[in-house]
Amino acid sequence: MTQDIENAHADLAFMRALVSDTEAPGRATGQTLFAAGLVYGVQTLLQWAEFSGRIEISGLWMLAVIIGPTLVFLAVLAVVLRRSRKSGPKTMAGRALDYAFSAIGVTNLCLLIIFWITAVKLDSPYPWFGYGAAIFAVQGMVWYIAFRLRQKLWLAAVSAGWFITAVLLALTAGTPEFVLVASAALFALMALPGWIMMRSGQGAES
């Protein structure tokens, strides 16, 4: 009985720490989001300019636009992960947020396979437009989790922005505006929040 009571107290303390923690989000998560939003925002902006006929990208330049941002992001991610290992222990909510954002990568890979199979079977590029909208909806879900954990209105606004953008992507599917909407969202809903998290995490790592 005593052990059960102690376990109950431990579980209660864990839940209380998880939902009431008010420390700033980790800088590592903010740096990762800022880098991803910036490099992929630039990538999609260049793709929109090329699709809409404003600039012409071909040959090695096109290859650089397609592969370059991912290589840059992976390099930044490696540096961020190396530095984050040297930081102190994180709070309950900080770890929960890190796990939620990390889950995006796994979900992204799964959705990528699903929509790739669908596109091949249908012999059509249109399923890829649905892939983009689905990824943005997943982003909205994770930011909603962050809002519920932190109870900060700006996190709710970011979550709503992702959900709204996912719908806009469905509405603009098959047009150059699809890529422009994605680019604007990456800057406003990923790079900017990442910068905010970096700034708020300078004083204390969560």
Side-chain angles (χ1 to χ4, degrees), residues 18 24 44 80 187:
L18 184 64
T44 49
V80 170
F187 284 123

Side-chain angles (χ1 to χ4, degrees), residues 64-150:
V65 169
I66 295 173
I67 300 178
T70 297
L71 296 178
V72 172
F73 173 69
L74 290 177
V76 173
L77 182 62
V79 173
V80 170
L81 291 177
R82 182 180 301 176
R83 290 179 177 177
S84 65
R85 292 195 187 100
K86 300 178 182 179
S87 62
K90 295 185 176 182
T91 61
M92 299 292 186
R95 287 199 295 269
L97 285 179
D98 279 351
Y99 297 153
F101 282 110
S102 297
I104 293 178
V106 180
T107 306
N108 184 18
L109 178 60
C110 182
L111 290 174
L112 181 65
I113 295 173
I114 291 171
F115 282 93
W116 176 75
I117 293 173
T118 304
V120 170
K121 283 190 172 183
L122 297 178
D123 192 22
S124 170
Y126 279 95
W128 289 114
F129 295 107
Y131 164 76
I135 288 298
F136 276 49
V138 170
Q139 288 279 353
M141 177 196 69
V142 174
W143 282 96
Y144 180 75
I145 293 173
F147 162 66
R148 293 304 300 267
L149 287 173
R150 299 293 186 182

Side-chain angles (χ1 to χ4, degrees), residues 110-200:
C110 182
L111 290 174
L112 181 65
I113 295 173
I114 291 171
F115 282 93
W116 176 75
I117 293 173
T118 304
V120 170
K121 283 190 172 183
L122 297 178
D123 192 22
S124 170
Y126 279 95
W128 289 114
F129 295 107
Y131 164 76
I135 288 298
F136 276 49
V138 170
Q139 288 279 353
M141 177 196 69
V142 174
W143 282 96
Y144 180 75
I145 293 173
F147 162 66
R148 293 304 300 267
L149 287 173
R150 299 293 186 182
Q151 295 297 309
K152 294 182 182 296
L153 289 178
W154 75 270
L155 295 173
V158 173
S159 174
W162 282 110
F163 287 130
I164 292 171
T165 305
V167 176
L168 289 176
L169 289 178
L171 292 173
T172 58
T175 70
E177 284 70 26
F178 176 91
V179 191
L180 182 61
V181 170
S183 179
L186 288 167
F187 284 123
L189 302 175
M190 184 174 284
L192 179 58
W195 180 81
I196 293 173
M197 293 170 72
M198 287 166 55
R199 297 289 295 177
S200 62

